[in-house]
Amino acid sequence: MNTFKLIGLTIITLLFGASSLYSYHRDLEVVRYVSATIKAIGWASSELEMELLKFDQSLTALAARTSDEANVQLRFELLWSRIDTLLAGEENRPVREQPGVLPMLKNFSSQLELWEERVYALRVDDRDEIMALRQELAHYRKLAREINVENFSGDKVWQQLDIIQDIRLRSSLYLGGLLLSGSLMLLLLLRENHRNRHMAYHDTLTGLPNRMFFYQLIDKALNRTQRERGALALHMVDLNSFKAINDSLGHEVGDNLLREIANRLSHTIGKQGRVARLGGDEFVIIQQLENIDDAELMAAQLFDALSRDVKLPDGCLSPQACIGTSLYPEHGLTAAELLSHADTAMYYAKHSRKTMVQMFEPGMDERRLRRQKLAVSLQAAIEQDQLELHYQPIFRLNSGDIESVEALLRWNSAEHGFISPLEVIAVAEQHGLAHRLNEWVLSQACRQMHRWHQAGCGWLKVNVNISPNIFMEGELALTVSAVLRDTGLDASTLVLEITEDTSMWDTAGSLDTLQELRELGIEIALDDFGTGYSSFSHLRQLPINKLKIDKSFVADLSTDPRAESLVKTIISLADNLNMTVTAEGIELVEQHVLLQQLGCGLGQGYLMARPMPAEAMSELLLQDKRYGSRSA
Ligand code: C2E
Ligand code: MG
Ligand code: MG
């Protein structure tokens, strides 16, 4: 309901209340008037009776010689004036209007006129005349008594008083009812209005303020902060792979997850600010800052709160989110600027692989713009086959034989120059090209591998990197089997590398995908192992054959004893789980030697060979002593 309607209805209800009160007031006045009149009439008629009695007594007293003629005349005059007042006085109209009263008064008045001479002529000795007058008077006393009893006292008055009481009660009930129903109506209207407003400004799923309300909240917060010369932070939160969870586990799980996220965010920000849901899996938090460092602290706390496992009926989910933060007034003065910058920072976090929590930095906008341009070029590059795959051999560390090759994407754009594969993947994921790019890489690598198999390297395997988004989409097994069919490659020679965080969603959905791939005969390697968040116990549940130790651990091997013991632990763990370990990024002989000593089976690195084009790789394979044999 809009404000205009509400004001209108409130005015109507108030008018209604006011008119009810007014009529109640009028009713009471009437009741008061009527009861006052009844009393006045009663009083007037008793007075008349009283005057009659007093006149009669004065006559008796005259006859008994206890009073004199003057007293009789006085009582007579008083009686007459009482009759005149009753006949003429406006205030006595109700008395005259009573049935039988007026004729009686008129009759009595003419009688008084007739008596006047006799009364003034009365003397103490006129006993007979006195008695005669008293007898005539008795008739009027009786009449007055009867009228008085009939109209102004006894049952009739009680009945009238009952009616008045009844009217009073009825109008009280009437007013009470009206006021009660009026206030009830107003209350319902206000409640309805409140509910409508709530629904218009809140997200029904999580109960958080929605986008529309968020703009009001941020405007208010900005005005206040500006007045107080303070600072505030805007944190933009986006869940990783939410679409995949929704698609693979169903909307109910997705909804529960969003509710849980909303609770955690609200709980974490507490009184320091407000949370809103902008839509989908996008949340935004406004934080009032007392100290500028609080922003980064809060972003980290929000991230931690979101990273805790969420319990599901059959298992649990480890959500991961990216958070981008912008600051007022440092990064922008308006809501739009702050939002856009927080969004940029969030995108940066999402695709940087380095961090999940990112503060906006000047220059990020340009990077985003560049990515938009890159996306356009990338789409053309995929369509026009301008991308390339380089291959880096993976060696058996003890024999030096090539076990497999890893296909690595290369894009040397005519317009933008060389773009690192990580950036290419990020651009593709941001702009909906990941699926096509992935398919291109897969089929290109499988086709090339098939050629090498044909050429006499039947033992060779190919490792293809799969971007997390594709893995989460859940259709990977279908795509892979179609590519294998098209290229004629044997499934057992394909290894899919998934990054560690991809498997974080240890949900039925991702486990199913892994299982389906394994059933096709494909091997799965967990890439960049050690940098993500997989727990060792988590590893046990995943149908994975290979672990690739991240190159950062290999780089630290000869200098940091902790890296050595970690690598040792990973190798023995993999042994226990029947997994093969590959060390990435071997650049130094010492690293090679140490890894060999530690029992690491496979290795890859610039020391042995850099990634190279397919032709160079073919030449390298030609030198292999197994060249021409079908298996190793
Ligand atoms: P990755 O899968 O871990 O690949 C290994 C990376 O380490 C490659 O970087 C490789 O060139 C590099 N590398 C190999 N040996 C050494 C060494 O001795 N020292 C050092 N410093 N680096 C070494 P590259 O080719 O730049 O690829 C980077 C990442 O991009 C890959 O990491 C992978 O995650 C991703 N990537 C590459 N190609 C693809 C692709 O076709 N699809 C997907 N989804 N991701 C890809
Ligand atoms: Mg890899
Ligand atoms: Mg790696």
Side-chain angles (χ1 to χ4, degrees), residues 471 476 494-498 502-527 534-547 574 577-580:
F471 179 75
L476 189 60
L494 177 62
V495 182
L496 294 183
E497 294 193 3
I498 56 174
T502 316
S503 56
M504 279 306 291
W505 303 100
D506 51 344
T507 59
S510 47
L511 270 177
D512 285 353
T513 306
L514 281 179
Q515 207 64 56
E516 281 170 47
L517 291 167
R518 293 288 287 123
E519 278 162 17
L520 287 174
I522 291 160
E523 290 189 309
I524 310 285
L526 203 54
D527 205 354
S534 304
S535 60
F536 285 165
S537 65
H538 178 188
L539 259 188
R540 216 161 19 102
Q541 301 156 8
L542 299 172
I544 280 170
N545 321 70
K546 292 182 164 172
L547 287 186
L577 296 173
N578 242 347
M579 293 179 185
T580 320

Side-chain angles (χ1 to χ4, degrees), residues 406 465 497 527 548:
E406 177 172 5
N465 293 286
E497 294 193 3
D527 205 354
K548 294 186 78 174

